[in-house]
Amino acid sequence: DILLGGGGQDAAQGDIGADFVSRGSELRAMADDGGVMLAVCGSYQLLGHEFVTQDGHRIPGVGVLDVQTVGSSSRLIGNNHVDTPDGLRLIGYENHSGLTELGSGVRPLGSTLAGRGNNGRDRTEGAVRANVIGTYLHGPVLAKSPAFADDLLRRALERRGQVGELSVLDDSLAEQAA
């Protein structure tokens, strides 16, 4: 019901990229069918059109997200707070050297407040196409952004036809950490 993809070292992108491409038709079909995907860092880059390494090596992506990424010699590292158009505040940690540009087929997940986001220039973070979300907000994004985790669960339940409200949890401690 929910596909979660993580990140890793840039050096492994070629091997991982080949696996993504071999599953490209499945990933595109899932996205086209409204499947819920959260792709973080390396998997975000590979859901795009391609990742070009610092030395110019082109690693094809699968084209689920209309994004292009080029590796750089500097890393974008640190805590990041992102406000989404849906009124959510996402909290996470970014650590990437890929500089991602969004195409017209996606919208930004949100605007960075403290971090450098997609490319360190335009204050955008992540990309969204229907239920597919790519982001550079690493692991703690779900634990530190419980409303976002709830939103992913709600999307998956709606896709199954199970529309309804999730039970409200006490998120006061998470909100204080923001």
Side-chain angles (χ1 to χ4, degrees):
D1 293 307
I2 300 176
L3 181 127
L4 299 173
Q9 300 280 331
D10 288 352
Q13 288 288 81
D15 294 334
I16 296 166
D19 185 54
F20 263 65
V21 169
S22 75
R23 300 168 195 272
S25 60
E26 289 175 72
L27 292 168
R28 286 187 295 276
M30 183 179 177
D32 292 343
D33 190 41
V36 179
M37 297 182 190
L38 175 61
V40 178
C41 200
S43 59
Y44 167 33
Q45 296 167 348
L46 293 172
L47 281 184
H49 298 297
E50 73 177 349
F51 173 76
V52 181
T53 66
Q54 293 178 53
D55 59 2
H57 179 69
R58 292 179 153 355
I59 301 168
V62 297
V64 168
L65 292 172
D66 186 13
V67 300
Q68 291 271 122
T69 304
V70 175
S72 80
S73 59
S74 63
R75 298 195 73 76
L76 307 180
I77 301 174
N79 293 315
N80 197 347
H81 298 184
V82 173
D83 284 334
T84 72
D86 306 322
L88 297 177
R89 167 148 304 166
L90 308 182
I91 300 168
Y93 184 81
E94 64 183 332
N95 182 359
H96 60 100
S97 63
L99 305 178
T100 299
E101 299 293 332
L102 306 184
S104 62
V106 294
R107 68 168 174 83
L109 174 60
S111 302
T112 62
L113 300 177
R116 296 182 31 212
N118 282 325
N119 53 44
R121 290 187 322 276
D122 62 15
R123 307 305 273 178
T124 63
E125 166 48 36
V128 177
R129 172 191 155 210
N131 283 334
V132 179
I133 300 168
T135 183
Y136 283 114
L137 296 176
H138 284 261
V141 69
L142 294 174
K144 291 186 176 185
S145 311
F148 181 53
D150 288 349
D151 184 58
L152 294 174
L153 293 171
R154 179 194 54 77
R155 290 171 185 243
L157 288 169
E158 283 181 357
R159 183 170 178 255
R160 283 186 161 237
Q162 299 174 350
V163 180
E165 292 295 316
L166 295 174
S167 300
V168 177
L169 300 175
D170 180 5
D171 293 336
S172 60
L173 288 176
E175 291 166 1
Q176 289 174 24

